[in-house]
Amino acid sequence: MLGTGQKVPEDYEPATLEHPARNVPKPVLPAEAKEETEAGAQAFLNYRADAQWYAMQTGDTSMVRAVTAPECSSCTEEYDEIDALYGKGGWARGGWEKPTLPDGHLSKRADGGYNLPIEVDSKGMQAIYSSRVTTSQMPFSGADILDVYLDFRDGHWTHVTASPRGSL
């Protein structure tokens, strides 16, 4: 099941050393993710995480780029790396993350954005070239890891940046 609640189809095949993922479900932005509410922010975070996982599974970064501010340089670098990996005939496996906004933490800043303390559960990721792992990101989980800065304008959320807890 994706974070957005979509079911993963039975014919989905995770990536292996021999082939990239197959029949990857394309995430759909839920209506709730268009609301400037705590539930809307969580639905958006779930969608963005699913769009990022989709990018890692398929090499198509367009969906996650569409909901991420271009000024997020670390995000852009990550998406450029995914594009380059697939462009050179490689692929990724893993990459699933679950972001959780603890209840009662949605508060608007003076600049109109939202600084959110996010709990993260990551299953890790591996980049694969020529049937061998070339890069690994280990799984991680924690409640005090990350702050995410979101903006809500013109009826939609945008991921602006993410930083270690307390640095935003």
Side-chain angles (χ1 to χ4, degrees), residues 1-61:
M1 177 99 45
L2 298 180
T4 54
Q6 292 172 245
K7 291 185 179 181
V8 175
E10 290 182 23
D11 62 349
Y12 165 72
E13 292 180 51
T16 68
L17 289 176
E18 290 74 40
H19 65 79
R22 297 176 178 151
N23 305 311
V24 180
K26 191 177 257 191
V28 176
L29 183 69
E32 189 172 43
K34 298 176 184 174
E35 298 172 5
E36 191 176 9
T37 63
E38 189 169 296
Q42 181 63 63
F44 172 77
L45 290 167
N46 292 343
Y47 171 77
R48 187 180 174 281
D50 288 351
Q52 184 167 303
W53 174 80
Y54 181 81
M56 288 184 191
Q57 298 295 298
T58 65
D60 178 359
T61 60

Side-chain angles (χ1 to χ4, degrees), residues 125-146:
M125 184 277 298
Q126 295 179 322
I128 300 167
Y129 280 112
S130 300
S131 297
R132 65 180 187 81
V133 175
T134 59
T135 307
S136 290
Q137 176 194 24
M138 300 305 293
F140 61 90
S141 184
D144 294 323
I145 297 174
L146 193 63

Side-chain angles (χ1 to χ4, degrees), residues 57-167:
Q57 298 295 298
T58 65
D60 178 359
T61 60
S62 63
M63 294 173 67
V64 71
R65 286 180 191 269
V67 296
T68 303
E71 60 266 26
C72 182
S73 59
S74 62
C75 302
T76 301
E77 285 175 25
E78 180 179 352
Y79 308 148
D80 290 348
E81 288 172 8
I82 292 169
D83 291 341
L85 174 68
Y86 279 83
K88 294 177 184 175
W91 59 88
R93 68 177 171 186
W96 182 86
E97 293 183 0
K98 180 180 184 200
T100 302
L101 171 60
D103 289 340
H105 282 84
L106 184 73
S107 60
K108 199 171 209 174
R109 293 174 25 154
D111 64 6
Y114 294 85
N115 186 39
L116 309 174
I118 303 297
E119 297 174 3
V120 180
D121 181 19
S122 167
K123 300 300 180 200
M125 184 277 298
Q126 295 179 322
I128 300 167
Y129 280 112
S130 300
S131 297
R132 65 180 187 81
V133 175
T134 59
T135 307
S136 290
Q137 176 194 24
M138 300 305 293
F140 61 90
S141 184
D144 294 323
I145 297 174
L146 193 63
D147 286 328
V148 172
Y149 184 72
L150 301 180
D151 192 21
F152 188 88
R153 293 186 193 193
D154 302 322
H156 65 88
W157 291 100
T158 300
H159 174 95
V160 179
T161 193
S163 296
R165 177 63 46 87
S167 64

